Amino acid sequence: MRHLVRVVGHWGLLLHIYISMAGFTLVLLFAITGFTLNHQDFGFGQPTITKSTIVLSADVLAHPDQEALGQHLRETLGVRSPLTDYREDPDQIQVTFAAPGHRTVVTVNRAQRVGDVEIETRGLLGRLDDLHKGFDSGPAWYWIIDLTAILLTLSALTGMVTLLSFRARRRSGFIVAALGVVSIVALYLIWVPQ
């Protein structure tokens, strides 16, 4: 039995170390951006909004196609972000290009053939905050968020297996873990509005 505990503890420790290090960069990113999202009053991610107007030719608006109009606006405005929203009605067309930390909204008045352009940028911190939330980051980044959650879960579980193998620290380790759980639940029940 001791041999089994030693083998499980050894593998638990190895897995804990390497899984934790594999997710280190992602965990650091989500830790820092979690802090900045919680303290937006610092002002580092305040948006900068630029407004302008463009004139569109009649042939572009005669029978607008989402892809064609999106490509035309992208070239005209020099936008690299993907088209994320397209709304069309008889009076106007609204096209949104968005990427983490950057949004461009073009509202086209069909009768006047004029597009009101609003560009919002939030700098590096705004980009990182949007990545934290998964806003406008595409399907690949959603997988990275899921991978981070899996790595954190595995790191926690292998940490518990490792703690089980350390006889001298087992009791105190689980007491501290239990106190952590009780503290979080108590803080939630006492101070978080229900």
Side-chain angles (χ1 to χ4, degrees), residues 13-173:
L13 179 61
L14 280 178
L15 288 172
H16 180 69
I17 290 169
Y18 290 110
I19 288 171
S20 298
M21 291 313 294
F24 174 75
T25 303
L26 293 170
V27 170
L28 186 61
L29 169 71
F30 284 101
I32 291 170
T33 55
F35 183 78
T36 60
L37 280 168
N38 202 35
H39 293 283
Q40 298 221 348
D41 52 336
F42 289 167
F44 296 126
Q46 292 299 320
T48 301
I49 297 174
T50 307
K51 295 183 179 188
S52 62
T53 304
I54 59 171
V55 178
L56 297 160
S57 62
D59 60 321
V60 171
L61 295 176
H63 301 288
D65 170 64
Q66 178 177 337
E67 286 298 318
L69 181 58
Q71 187 60 33
H72 177 76
L73 291 172
R74 193 177 280 116
E75 290 170 2
T76 302
L77 298 170
V79 175
R80 294 185 351 210
S81 306
L83 192 152
T84 56
D85 191 37
Y86 182 89
R87 298 171 197 250
E88 180 179 348
D89 63 42
D91 297 325
Q92 72 178 15
I93 301 169
Q94 187 175 60
V95 183
T96 304
F97 302 93
H102 189 275
R103 277 161 207 70
T104 301
V105 179
V106 182
T107 305
V108 178
N109 181 316
R110 295 178 97 163
Q112 297 176 355
R113 296 190 335 245
V114 173
D116 293 321
V117 181
E118 183 176 290
I119 300 171
E120 176 187 318
T121 56
R122 295 185 340 171
L124 176 62
L125 197 53
R127 180 179 301 229
L128 292 175
D129 287 349
D130 282 354
L131 287 172
H132 180 101
K133 296 180 283 189
F135 282 178
D136 302 317
S137 54
W141 191 256
Y142 288 118
W143 286 102
I144 290 174
I145 292 172
D146 288 345
L147 175 65
T148 304
I150 291 167
L151 288 172
L152 280 171
T153 302
L154 290 173
S155 179
L157 292 174
T158 55
M160 292 173 93
V161 167
T162 302
L163 184 60
L164 279 171
S165 69
F166 292 139
R167 185 176 197 152
R169 295 198 174 124
R170 187 179 311 154
R171 179 180 292 168
S172 61

